[in-house]
Amino acid sequence: ALKGKIVIIGTTTPGLMDLRATPVATTYPGVEIHANLIAGMLDGSIRLKPAYVLGAEVLMIGLCGLLLALLLPLFSPMKATLLAGGTFVVVTGLNLFLWQSGLLLPLASTLLMIVALYALSMSWGYFVESRSKRQFTELFGQYVPPELVDEMARDPERYSMEGRNQELTVLFSDVRSFTTISEGLDPKELTQLMNEYLGAMTTIVRNNRGTLDKYIGDAIMAFWGAPVADAEHARNAVRTALDMQRELRRLDEPFKARGWPMLHIGVGINTGTMTVGDMGSPVRKAYTVMGDAVNLGSRLEGITKQYGVGIIAGETTRALVKDVVFRELDRVRVKGKDEPVAIYEPLGFSGEVAPERMEALKLWQHALRYYRAQDWDQADVQIYNLLRQEPDCRLYQLYAERIAHYRQAPPGEGWDGVTTFDTK
């Protein structure tokens, strides 16, 4: 019965102490270990551990480690997770394939290295890069709307506070007769009024992707197009000015209920090449804009009261905004500039301006054309018709006064129709 057989004699009784721990059981009869070894030798299923196993292990760790070390920092968390998981699956599948082919290669060291590199990359991203992004957010957050800061923080390398020249749009706003208003309120009430006013106006600036530059007392300075590029910087600035005027009228009722005066503001908008960057001294710096285009924007805000309008935009801004109805006010030469510029008042977006205002705009354009042609009679007729519709309009009154003056003292043939302002 035993001829040609291999017979192994052993015991399995626990008391005889021949029980061993194996990968398949914690208590495994020692005789069965010998039986499995002999069976593996006979059918050739014993896996071989080749002499080059150490070199193969080092090579596998080196290749996977180099791949992950180079790529994980470049990828987003989702892509990094997919890369690490994919590498884990590939290494495991290759090891299983070699196992089925009869080779035994180490697996644990490579898998542990993959897990360690992934954990290190995620930790670095969370603790170091998130701190860098928080610092970036703190740096720009006081100027730029939160949603724009989030957009910038996704790729902070693209953004810098270093000075550069760029076409931007700047906006200045100022409360009229603020000195009189401040004299009529006690300090606590004045502080509350300004906080509510500046809070409402700042929200509008931020909602329209603007960068808040600074508060200058009751004045606000903001600009569009930096640090985040904005192809519609001029349009967003004009929309902000229109929204500010509307919001101011919404504040009338709550201000009146608290015994506060009604506020009126002048807004100047200009577009042009400006220097933008972090400027100042070692003690204090600010991310701001400078240049002739900025100065002109400030001057335009200053002359709004001369024309009795709430908003004045420069000709460059007017040229860039196609879907807003503008009323040309004049051609002016502001203090500090020799070249005259055309100035415009934005009336509203196309389709939102009332039909009667559009009719008045046509009459006004005729009046302005006659005025510049020194046809005082025709200009006077047009202005008269406009004043019948809006007798309190300061713009019409201003031109009626000019026409009366030029009737008595004609400007002459070389007159260019430009109004020169000697004050800011």
Side-chain angles (χ1 to χ4, degrees):
L2 298 178
K3 183 179 180 180
K5 304 292 193 282
I6 297 175
V7 179
I8 303 172
I9 300 175
T11 62
T12 59
T13 304
L16 295 179
M17 306 299 289
D18 194 24
L19 297 179
R20 300 290 183 264
T22 69
V24 296
T26 56
T27 54
Y28 200 79
V31 66
E32 291 193 25
I33 295 177
H34 290 276
N36 278 282
L37 287 171
I38 293 172
M41 295 173 189
L42 293 176
D43 60 23
S45 62
I46 297 292
R47 267 55 179 177
L48 300 178
K49 197 171 187 179
Y52 54 81
V53 64
L54 180 60
E57 183 178 11
V58 171
L59 180 63
M60 181 65 71
I61 292 175
L63 290 176
C64 293
L66 183 63
L67 174 70
L68 295 177
L70 292 177
L71 296 182
L72 284 178
L74 303 178
F75 288 174
S76 65
M78 178 61 70
K79 291 182 178 179
T81 301
L82 293 175
L83 175 63
T87 306
F88 194 98
V89 170
V90 169
V91 170
T92 304
L94 178 61
N95 192 278
L96 180 60
F97 172 76
L98 294 175
W99 168 268
Q100 293 175 344
S101 299
L103 294 177
L104 175 61
L105 293 179
L107 178 63
S109 57
T110 305
L111 296 184
L112 286 174
M113 183 271 301
I114 293 173
V115 173
L117 283 178
Y118 175 73
L120 179 63
S121 176
M122 293 298 103
S123 300
W124 176 271
Y126 180 78
F127 291 108
V128 178
E129 290 191 11
S130 62
R131 181 181 65 184
S132 175
K133 289 183 178 181
R134 285 195 300 272
Q135 293 173 342
F136 186 85
T137 300
E138 291 171 1
L139 187 63
F140 281 100
Q142 56 185 319
Y143 307 111
V144 183
E147 59 273 15
L148 296 189
V149 174
D150 293 340
E151 180 181 328
M152 295 165 64
R154 288 194 289 268
D155 189 8
E157 298 299 326
R158 291 180 53 196
Y159 303 96
S160 168
M161 299 188 80
E162 294 182 0
R164 66 184 188 277
N165 287 333
Q166 188 174 341
E167 184 184 73
L168 308 172
T169 299
V170 67
L171 177 148
F172 289 87
S173 73
D174 189 49
V175 177
R176 293 182 181 155
S177 304
F178 180 72
T179 302
T180 303
I181 293 173
S182 62
E183 290 174 349
L185 297 173
D186 63 53
K188 183 177 180 180
E189 284 186 314
L190 181 62
T191 301
Q192 292 175 344
L193 181 147
M194 290 310 301
N195 286 343
E196 291 201 24
Y197 161 71
L198 291 174
M201 298 301 106
T202 301
T203 298
I204 293 173
V205 170
R206 292 194 162 195
N207 287 345
N208 287 290
R209 298 177 63 89
T211 298
L212 178 66
D213 189 315
K214 61 176 70 72
Y215 301 124
I216 312 168
D218 60 292
I220 298 173
M221 177 180 175
F223 56 90
W224 282 257
V228 180
D230 183 3
E232 296 189 335
H233 53 85
R235 183 177 187 274
N236 287 330
V238 172
R239 177 185 291 277
T240 299
L242 293 169
D243 290 347
M244 290 171 75
Q245 295 290 353
R246 279 193 290 266
E247 179 66 13
L248 206 59
R249 299 287 65 83
R250 190 194 66 79
L251 292 174
D252 286 344
E253 282 299 320
F255 278 21
K256 182 180 179 181
R258 301 171 72 170
W260 295 347
M262 181 185 298
L263 298 183
H264 297 278
I265 63 173
V267 181
I269 307 170
N270 191 50
T271 302
T273 301
M274 309 170 190
T275 299
V276 59
D278 195 26
M279 305 178 197
S281 69
V283 177
R284 185 173 183 178
K285 292 185 177 182
Y287 187 72
T288 187
V289 290
M290 299 178 65
D292 285 342
V294 179
N295 297 336
L296 178 56
S298 177
R299 301 290 188 271
L300 296 182
E301 180 277 317
I303 63 174
T304 53
K305 59 179 72 75
Q306 305 290 335
Y307 293 87
V309 297
I311 308 169
I312 291 182
E315 58 189 11
T316 308
T317 305
R318 164 70 181 87
L320 291 174
V321 183
K322 306 299 184 183
D323 58 344
V324 169
V325 177
F326 286 88
R327 174 168 64 178
E328 185 178 0
L329 301 176
D330 203 353
R331 296 185 72 242
V332 301
R333 188 178 290 108
V334 298
K335 183 176 176 59
K337 288 188 69 67
D338 295 328
E339 292 297 322
V341 294
I343 58 174
Y344 299 82
E345 178 195 11
L347 301 179
F349 283 87
S350 301
E352 298 178 0
V353 181
E356 55 270 22
R357 291 202 77 185
M358 294 300 297
E359 288 299 320
L361 178 60
K362 293 179 182 179
L363 290 176
W364 168 250
Q365 290 170 340
H366 291 312
L368 199 59
R369 186 168 63 252
Y370 290 131
Y371 170 81
R372 289 174 177 166
Q374 301 187 44
D375 189 343
W376 311 124
D377 292 336
Q378 288 296 331
D380 200 20
V381 170
Q382 301 295 332
I383 296 296
Y384 174 76
N385 291 331
L386 289 167
L387 280 171
R388 289 179 60 190
Q389 300 175 23
E390 298 180 67
D392 296 327
C393 179
R394 173 57 189 156
L395 178 64
Y396 302 153
Q397 294 172 355
L398 173 66
Y399 272 83
E401 294 167 3
R402 289 182 180 180
I403 291 170
H405 169 74
Y406 287 135
R407 282 183 186 276
Q408 301 299 322
E413 294 184 2
W415 184 60
D416 56 6
V418 174
T419 302
T420 300
F421 288 92
D422 297 322
T423 59
K424 294 184 179 180

